[in-house]
């Protein structure tokens, strides 16, 4: 038995509220790191935001647990939240920086840019 | 600094590996202006441009099989008196690896094979300065496409076998030998020409955080009751 479909918030389209990747850019100056990070000047970590749908389509790559948690929220206990919208895949970023010793370092940092989102 | 803050800062590398690594690498104060320009920086910017796009995303076709490259400047230099057409100086490079997270995959000395002075020019090459008779050079994979006017000598085997210390510091001695090309007066300018960032060491690493132990939140709460506020910890680091 499946409960009634919940309507989305008034005035907001499904696209606006559903879990999705949002572009976001920050400068290393804003982070206070411009003294030692030479390149790049801008960093685009992006972020995931939005509600997780009741039916988790395959494009969201949700694990079985998320499907069960949705069912629990709907059928058993409404105080158990729906799955959260979080990053699924990341990409690295290459940084050129000056070390404390005065050496110049090129370095790739893993998992620095959100590339897609999931509900889990 | 309050004692509590000091304790919190000491825990940062364990709790937040990324911030820990960044704190280790960040200079205590703003880098001197000379570091933010000059030939070494131009060299590394070229390396960066070949391996990452303007947004910092690594290019799909990686030029070298390493995820970190460090340019090391000489910590000391000694110029020998000229002998005939030969102008020689010895450079000392301080090696201080963190072998837990840095796996050396390639090492090379980068230098300028031709130095132009006002009335003459010198033709140069480099070699390790060691007492051992047989020095095994080479051994590294390809580096990146060198900017014009630069040359490099692969020292991967030599550094891995002779110099790379298990722990602590070691000094790599490199001799730069330059030969005068014309029978003209070189003058005193050769010392200055050799001293202005014409030779440096480039180390290629595979660098990982995976070996850094991570502490679970629960463990943190048990160890530090009432002080498990990661947010304020991160703010204090900032």
């Amino acid at each position: 038995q499946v409960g009634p479909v919940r309507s989305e918030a008034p005035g907001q389209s499904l696209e606006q509220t559903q879990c999705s990747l949002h572009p976001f850019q920050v400068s290393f100056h804003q982070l206070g790191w411009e003294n030692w990070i030479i390149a790049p000047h801008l960093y685009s970590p992006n972020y995931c935001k939005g509600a997780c749908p009741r039916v988790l389509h395959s494009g969201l790559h949700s694990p079985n647990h998320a499907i069960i948690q949705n069912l629990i929220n709907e059928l058993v206990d409404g105080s158990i939240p729906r799955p959260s919208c979080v990053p699924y895949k990341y990409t690295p970023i290459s940084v050129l920086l000056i070390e404390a010793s005065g050496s110049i370092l090129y370095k790739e940092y893993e998992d620095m840019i959100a590339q897609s989102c999931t509900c889990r | 600094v309050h004692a509590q803050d000091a304790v919190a800062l000491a825990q940062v590398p364990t709790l937040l590996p990324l911030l820990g690594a960044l704190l280790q690498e960040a200079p205590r104060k703003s880098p001197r202006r000379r570091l933010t320009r000059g030939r070494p920086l131009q060299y590394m910017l070229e390396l960066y441009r070949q391996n990452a796009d303007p947004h910092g995303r690594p290019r799909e076709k990686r030029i070298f099989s390493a995820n970190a490259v460090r340019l090391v400047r000489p910590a000391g230099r000694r110029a020998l008196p000229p002998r005939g057409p030969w102008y020689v100086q010895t450079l000392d490079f301080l090696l201080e690896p963190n072998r837990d997270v840095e796996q050396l995959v390639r090492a090379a000395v980068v230098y300028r094979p031709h130095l132009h002075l006002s009335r003459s020019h010198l033709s140069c090459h480099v070699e390790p300065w060691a007492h051992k008779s047989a020095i095994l050079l080479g051994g590294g994979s390809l580096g990146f496409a060198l900017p014009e006017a630069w040359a490099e000598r692969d020292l991967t085997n030599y550094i891995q076998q002779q110099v790379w210390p298990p722990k602590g510091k070691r000094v790599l001695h490199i001799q730069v030998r330059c030969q005068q090309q014309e029978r003209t007066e070189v003058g005193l300018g050769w010392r200055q020409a050799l001293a202005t960032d014409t030779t440096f060491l480039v180390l290629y690493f595979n660098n990982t955080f995976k070996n850094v132990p991570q502490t679970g939140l629960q463990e943190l709460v048990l160890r530090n009751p009432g002080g498990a506020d990661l947010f304020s910890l991160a703010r204090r680091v900032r």
Side-chain angles (χ1 to χ4, degrees), chain A residues 56-120:
Chain A
L56 296 168
H57 60 84
S58 61
L60 284 171
H61 303 284
S62 294
N64 288 338
H65 177 271
I67 295 165
I68 301 300
Q69 187 162 330
N70 246 348
L71 285 176
I72 292 171
N73 168 267
E74 289 275 340
L75 304 176
V76 181
D77 187 343
S79 68
I80 305 297
R82 283 194 194 177
S84 301
C85 176
V86 292
Y88 176 62
K89 282 189 176 173
Y90 301 92
T91 54
I93 186 173
S94 296
V95 170
L96 195 64
L97 56 90
I98 293 180
E99 295 181 287
S101 64
S103 300
I104 304 172
L105 181 68
Y106 165 96
K107 190 167 179 176
E108 291 171 15
Y109 287 96
E110 294 294 328
D111 303 338
M112 292 288 281
I113 299 171
Q115 197 183 27
S116 63
C117 302
T118 183
C119 287
R120 60 188 307 141

Side-chain angles (χ1 to χ4, degrees), chain A residues 39-50:
Chain A
H41 294 300
L42 296 173
Y43 167 37
S44 303
N46 304 331
Y47 65 95
C48 294
K49 187 180 176 184

